[in-house]
Amino acid sequence: MAAKFELKKSKNDKFVFNLLAANGQVILTSEMYESRASALNGIEAVRKNAPNDGRFGRLSAKNGAPYFTLKAANGQVIGQSQMYSGAKARDAGIESVQAHAAEAGLDDQTAT
């Protein structure tokens, strides 16, 4: 399986997407969007910004767990990772997003 974006509709009728690695693991999750069109724009923003290492924030949660965010050119966060066991694992997650986001397909699960 190749990396892909999975677009879903939440129970409260908002839209969210995940970027899944080739092994099916979620490596990036979006914010909630009010419309499908906005979520699709978010996916394009991830594709556009993922190759730029400067767009990634390398952060730690209150409990010390490392994670990352991906920001658009305007500074808005367009995606966040899961919590990782260590900085090395987080950095591998960033590398995976950088390597796969631009070419990832779209699995649109919002069609009714």
Side-chain angles (χ1 to χ4, degrees):
M1 175 179 115
K4 67 179 179 179
F5 287 97
E6 198 173 70
L7 178 61
K8 295 181 176 183
K9 194 170 188 180
S10 69
K11 291 178 183 174
N12 62 353
D13 286 335
K14 294 190 179 190
F15 296 83
V16 63
F17 64 83
N18 291 309
L19 174 58
L20 280 63
N23 65 4
Q25 183 176 1
V26 174
I27 51 178
L28 186 80
T29 300
S30 75
E31 64 179 351
M32 291 287 195
Y33 291 93
E34 294 294 329
S35 71
R36 182 177 174 276
S38 295
L40 291 171
N41 286 339
I43 290 170
E44 288 308 312
V46 170
R47 288 181 172 144
K48 179 180 176 184
N49 290 284
N52 184 340
D53 190 65
R55 299 272 192 257
F56 288 89
R58 291 160 174 85
L59 307 164
S60 294
K62 288 181 182 178
N63 67 0
Y67 70 100
F68 66 85
T69 59
L70 175 61
K71 294 183 178 182
N74 65 3
Q76 182 178 351
V77 173
I78 49 179
Q80 180 175 313
S81 73
Q82 63 187 18
M83 299 299 161
Y84 287 94
S85 58
K88 188 174 181 180
R90 177 203 55 211
D91 293 345
I94 291 171
E95 289 173 11
S96 183
V97 172
Q98 290 173 322
H100 302 293
E103 301 300 321
L106 174 61
D107 177 8
D108 186 348
Q109 299 180 5
T110 65
T112 54

